[in-house]
Amino acid sequence: MNPDKVTAFKSIVSACVMVVLTISCSKKTTSVSESDPWRRMEFIIKNLPKTNFQDKTYNIDDFGAVADGKTLNTQAFQKAIQTCSSNGGGKVLVPNGKYLTGAIHLESNVNLHLEDQAEILFSLNPKDYPIVHTSWEGTEVMNYSPLIYAKNKTNVAITGKGTLNGQADNTNWWIWSGGKNYGWKKGIPSQNDPQNREVLVDMAERGTPVNERVFGEGRYLRPNFIEFFECNTVLVKDITVINAPFWILHPIKTNNMIIDGVTVNSHGPNNDGCDPEYSQNIIIRNCTFNTGDDCIAIKAGRDADGRRVAIPSKNIIVQNCKMIDGHGGVVIGSEISAGVNNVFVENCVMDSPNLDRAIRIKTNSKRGGIIEDVFVRNLEVGTVKECVLKLNMFYNVYGSQTGNFIPTIRNIHLENVNVKNGGKYSIWAEGYEQSPVENITLTNVKIEKVDSIYLLKNVKNLKFNNTYINGNKVK
């Protein structure tokens, strides 16, 4: 069977598994969620399709790559990847050394593997990132290619203990954010200029087709780092990622993905560690996030664009991760219009004076969205700055965020959580009178050194089971 037919066959098989998994989960949702939702998580993990590659290796050095940190190796990477894929797939090997490149575009059945001392340095020249169909802050757009990009691919991976270095800092990509803390000064162009971000948001609201939302040069919207767009059966394992221009790991419209043992250390603006968006059956495990924004932020599209796509993110599993700096440990939103459900977080450690919150959901009446069935257990939280759990329907960014799409937040469960320094509030939850935050349960939770038990507005059915705050049992 030729490679194209093999890829097509694998796509069909993965799609069938996805359908069976979704149907099976939906049939079990009521009974399992009411008794033990963690059995549903185990079912998702057990049935997730895994990547599998031929035992063939294609060394980028054999395709002309030079490990001097100065020679641009974009063509060498692409030749190795194309050759590997056309021969049925295998491993594209990045040996020890420093390799400079522009955008890397992956193909089906290819495992991009970095040796332990390999470092891929990404070019700071925007011209090295061609215009592709991508997304920016929850809005689809034709913009600079992500640094590593795969679209409509099946059985694809990035592995190995090497480093991906975006080389972003206050002198290049970050300055486009318009943030004074990131090198921007008056007179320097940025994403906040009237013809840039605002135009994209307006195009989406007016329903402009994505292929007509052409940005790129002169528009200053930073590229994502690693993006899998409409992919199936993906693995990212063991790599270290540093100095990202923007969002770091971004599966969008992607199903059946494992992110395992990844270290993210990047403190730039909007440097979210991992942003699953419109994606389903995503496992994030054994990872360390030390970020300039949310460590993990589960997304589902912004405003009209999210409602147009209408694919909820669901079956998102976070296990055995460590969260250091960040706006939140595990966050849902704010680009959330298509909704999120079935989120499982367990056995994580969160601790930093620069970590604002442990668990956070953020939306507003422009975003809307239904966020439900979030299950968290076995967290060890050292220090958080603001609060342990924040559920906010009035998230405000870029000015007024008031609209006609009242969100829903319900069924949030925390169990076996220990917090040493809880910040200002144990729980900060704000809903609408017509749509209260509903069904919050804390079981076997212990929070110490917190200023206030909670700040609540329009919250329905908040339960404390064997929960102690500042040494006192809460009823």
Side-chain angles (χ1 to χ4, degrees):
M1 187 178 292
N2 68 44
D4 291 339
K5 289 184 178 179
V6 171
T7 298
F9 178 74
K10 288 182 177 179
S11 297
I12 292 168
V13 171
S14 295
C16 290
V17 171
M18 176 64 187
V19 170
V20 171
L21 180 55
T22 302
I23 292 172
S24 300
C25 284
S26 64
K27 286 181 178 179
K28 294 187 176 187
T29 295
T30 301
S31 61
V32 174
S33 63
E34 290 178 354
S35 57
D36 183 4
W38 299 99
R39 287 173 53 201
R40 177 155 31 108
M41 180 194 75
E42 292 168 0
F43 180 85
I44 295 165
I45 295 170
K46 180 180 178 181
N47 289 276
L48 196 77
K50 308 297 191 302
T51 53
N52 185 33
F53 303 98
Q54 290 192 141
D55 187 17
K56 295 181 179 179
T57 299
Y58 300 82
N59 190 320
I60 62 169
D61 286 355
D62 295 335
F63 294 84
V66 180
D68 60 4
K70 299 177 181 179
T71 302
L72 192 66
N73 293 296
T74 309
Q75 290 188 358
F77 273 98
Q78 289 311 111
K79 286 178 181 177
I81 290 167
Q82 293 290 343
T83 302
C84 176
S85 181
S86 64
N87 288 332
K91 179 190 296 183
V92 171
L93 179 66
V94 183
N96 294 332
K98 294 180 181 292
Y99 293 88
L100 177 68
T101 184
I104 296 174
H105 288 188
L106 298 175
E107 297 289 341
S108 295
N109 304 315
V110 171
N111 173 13
L112 179 67
H113 182 82
L114 285 70
E115 289 191 336
D116 291 6
Q117 301 303 315
E119 182 173 9
I120 301 178
L121 304 169
F122 286 90
S123 169
L124 298 177
N125 185 352
K127 296 182 184 297
D128 290 326
Y129 302 92
I131 302 301
V132 299
H133 183 178
T134 180
S135 179
W136 198 86
E137 281 196 342
T139 303
E140 290 188 65
V141 62
M142 306 301 296
N143 193 37
Y144 293 115
S145 170
L147 280 55
I148 298 181
Y149 179 68
K151 189 169 192 293
N152 294 315
K153 308 304 178 187
T154 299
N155 193 44
V156 60
I158 307 169
T159 65
K161 295 184 178 180
T163 299
L164 303 175
N165 185 351
Q167 301 199 95
D169 61 26
N170 288 3
T171 67
N172 51 76
W173 296 117
W174 293 351
I175 205 170
W176 289 10
S177 71
K180 293 182 179 179
N181 292 335
Y182 299 103
W184 182 85
K185 297 179 181 178
K186 187 175 181 179
I188 297 175
S190 81
Q191 66 192 35
N192 296 324
D193 295 340
Q195 69 273 23
N196 299 335
R197 181 192 60 79
E198 293 177 11
V199 171
L200 175 60
V201 172
D202 183 64
M203 283 180 169
E205 291 300 306
R206 291 186 286 106
T208 302
V210 175
N211 62 5
E212 297 178 16
R213 306 174 193 175
V214 181
F215 281 65
E217 187 173 0
R219 307 304 282 272
Y220 302 98
L221 301 184
R222 290 163 287 149
N224 297 297
F225 202 132
I226 303 169
E227 183 171 276
F228 292 91
F229 198 126
E230 295 178 338
C231 293
N232 200 319
T233 314
V234 178
L235 173 66
V236 180
K237 183 172 174 57
D238 293 338
I239 59 168
T240 294
V241 186
I242 62 175
N243 305 329
F246 193 63
W247 290 3
I248 295 166
L249 285 156
H250 185 213
I252 176 170
K253 301 181 184 176
T254 285
N255 299 325
N256 305 319
M257 180 172 181
I258 297 174
I259 300 166
D260 187 0
V262 172
T263 298
V264 172
N265 190 356
S266 191
H267 283 75
N270 312 103
N271 274 198
D272 296 2
C274 184
D275 298 87
E277 184 166 22
Y278 305 130
S279 293
Q280 302 180 7
N281 304 330
I282 309 294
I283 301 175
I284 307 165
R285 64 191 182 202
N286 308 319
C287 296
T288 298
F289 297 97
N290 193 9
T291 66
D293 209 303
D294 296 322
C295 294
I296 295 172
I298 303 165
K299 309 284 190 179
R302 179 189 179 109
D303 302 350
D305 221 43
R307 289 182 280 274
R308 171 186 64 84
V309 175
I311 300 173
S313 287
K314 66 181 182 180
N315 301 343
I316 312 295
I317 298 167
V318 180
Q319 297 176 308
N320 306 309
C321 289
K322 182 178 182 180
M323 289 75 171
I324 306 175
D325 293 355
H327 293 180
V330 176
V331 177
I332 301 174
S334 69
E335 296 82 10
I336 197 66
S337 301
V340 169
N341 64 80
N342 278 4
V343 175
F344 302 89
V345 181
E346 66 170 354
N347 305 327
C348 293
V349 175
M350 305 180 182
D351 183 15
S352 171
N354 297 314
L355 180 65
D356 292 336
R357 309 138 189 115
I359 306 295
R360 182 187 191 189
I361 298 174
K362 49 181 177 178
T363 183
N364 54 50
S365 58
K366 288 188 74 176
R367 301 283 192 274
I370 298 174
I371 304 100
E372 62 184 350
D373 298 337
V374 178
F375 304 96
V376 180
R377 70 179 180 183
N378 305 337
L379 291 192
E380 292 294 329
V381 180
T383 297
V384 288
K385 188 184 297 185
E386 185 182 74
C387 57
V388 177
L389 174 65
K390 186 170 185 178
L391 313 172
N392 183 14
M393 293 190 188
F394 300 90
Y395 177 71
N396 191 10
V397 66
Y398 297 133
S400 174
Q401 296 293 302
T402 303
N404 299 314
F405 300 92
I406 305 299
T408 297
I409 299 175
R410 63 190 175 207
N411 305 337
I412 315 299
H413 304 277
L414 273 64
E415 181 179 2
N416 298 335
V417 176
N418 293 312
V419 183
K420 292 181 180 179
N421 293 282
K424 297 178 181 179
Y425 302 100
S426 294
I427 303 173
W428 181 344
E430 293 188 76
Y432 283 84
E433 184 176 354
Q434 65 270 44
S435 180
V437 178
E438 190 169 3
N439 300 338
I440 307 171
T441 304
L442 274 66
T443 302
N444 298 329
V445 173
K446 182 178 180 182
I447 302 173
E448 300 175 354
K449 296 182 181 179
V450 64
D451 294 345
S452 300
I453 296 178
Y454 42 60
L455 188 158
L456 305 176
K457 177 182 178 182
N458 296 318
V459 175
K460 181 179 179 182
N461 196 23
L462 169 61
K463 293 182 179 179
F464 297 96
N465 301 320
N466 194 36
T467 290
Y468 291 81
I469 299 178
N470 289 337
N472 299 314
K473 190 171 184 178
V474 183
K475 298 180 180 180

